[in-house]
Amino acid sequence: MSSLFTHFDVHPWELFVRTITIYFVVVLFLRLAGKKQFGQMGPTEFVAVLLLSNAVQSAMVGTDNSLLGGVVCAGALVLTSRFVSWATFKSGRTRALLEGTPTVLVQNGKIIQANLDRELLTRGDLMKMLRQQGIDRIEDAYLAVLDPECNLSVARHPVESAGTITSAPPSVPASSSPPASTPTSA
C-alpha cells in the first residue's frame, strides 16, 4: 500500500513535461476546431471532446498509474492553466494566439458571409443566436460580434418611435482618456 503513495513508474519531471505538452497540443487542436466546437456543441462535437480526453490520458501518464503520478499531472494542469490565464491577461498577443479573436458577423444590418463561413455557421445558426438576443431580423442588428467563447454580442440600430432608423450608435474612441478635470471653487 505504501508504494501506491511513494512509487513512480515514470519520473515526476517526465509526467510534468508530458502533461504540459499535452495541454498545449489539446489547446492547439481545439483552436483549429473553431469557435463552434465550444458554443454550439452537437452530438458529434461532444463525442469528439469526450474521446479526446481519453486519447491523451496515456500520453500524459505513460505507464504510471500511481496516486502520486495522478497528483503530479493534476498539479501540472492546474499550474499550466493558471499560467496561461496570467499570460493571456498580460498580453493581448498571447490572448489572441491561445484564445482567438472576436469575429464580426453582422455590420450595419448586413451579414458578413465570409466571416460566417470561416466560423462554420449557417444563416440559421446566426438567426438562432440573434433571436436569443431578442432580435428577429438581421436588419435590426447594427453590429453582431462572436467572441472567442462563441457568445454573440449584439448592438441594435437606434430607432425612433415611428420605427425608422435614426443614426448609428456612438463609436468608442480609440483612446479613452479621462476628461480633464476642472478646478472647483470652494
Side-chain angles (χ1 to χ4, degrees):
M1 172 107 174
S2 66
S3 68
L4 175 69
F5 297 103
T6 59
H7 177 72
F8 288 98
D9 291 335
V10 177
H11 193 276
W13 281 111
E14 183 180 344
L15 288 174
F16 194 78
V17 170
R18 282 173 170 246
T19 301
I20 291 171
T21 302
I22 292 300
Y23 178 93
F24 284 108
V25 167
V26 170
V27 167
L28 173 68
F29 286 162
L30 292 177
R31 285 278 292 121
L32 292 174
K35 293 176 190 159
K36 187 174 179 180
Q37 298 304 101
F38 297 110
Q40 298 188 1
M41 196 179 297
T44 57
E45 292 90 4
F46 181 69
V47 168
V49 169
L50 286 177
L51 292 177
L52 181 63
S53 65
N54 192 38
V56 299
Q57 177 189 3
S58 58
M60 280 193 319
V61 298
T63 59
D64 194 310
N65 290 320
S66 69
L67 180 62
L68 278 178
V71 170
V72 168
C73 290
L77 287 171
V78 170
L79 288 173
T80 304
S81 180
R82 179 70 177 157
F83 171 76
V84 167
S85 293
W86 174 82
T88 57
F89 171 73
K90 290 291 191 182
S91 168
R93 186 174 288 167
T94 302
R95 183 174 36 260
L97 177 68
L98 294 178
E99 295 178 358
T101 56
T103 305
V104 176
L105 300 179
V106 176
Q107 192 164 26
N108 293 322
K110 296 187 179 13
I111 295 174
I112 302 175
Q113 190 62 47
N115 290 353
L116 211 60
D117 293 344
R118 187 173 47 130
E119 298 299 339
L120 301 176
L121 294 170
T122 66
R123 182 181 174 95
D125 294 333
L126 176 61
M127 290 306 302
K128 178 181 175 185
M129 290 189 286
L130 287 171
R131 282 191 303 274
Q132 290 171 342
Q133 299 286 327
I135 294 181
D136 295 322
R137 300 177 327 137
I138 298 282
E139 298 79 23
D140 293 339
Y142 173 70
L143 185 68
V145 179
L146 185 68
D147 70 21
E149 292 82 29
C150 204
N151 297 313
L152 189 69
S153 300
V154 181
R156 293 176 175 271
H157 276 290
V159 291
E160 292 180 3
S161 59
T164 58
I165 297 175
T166 56
S167 64
S171 60
V172 177
S175 169
S176 52
S177 54
S181 60
T182 56
T184 59
S185 58

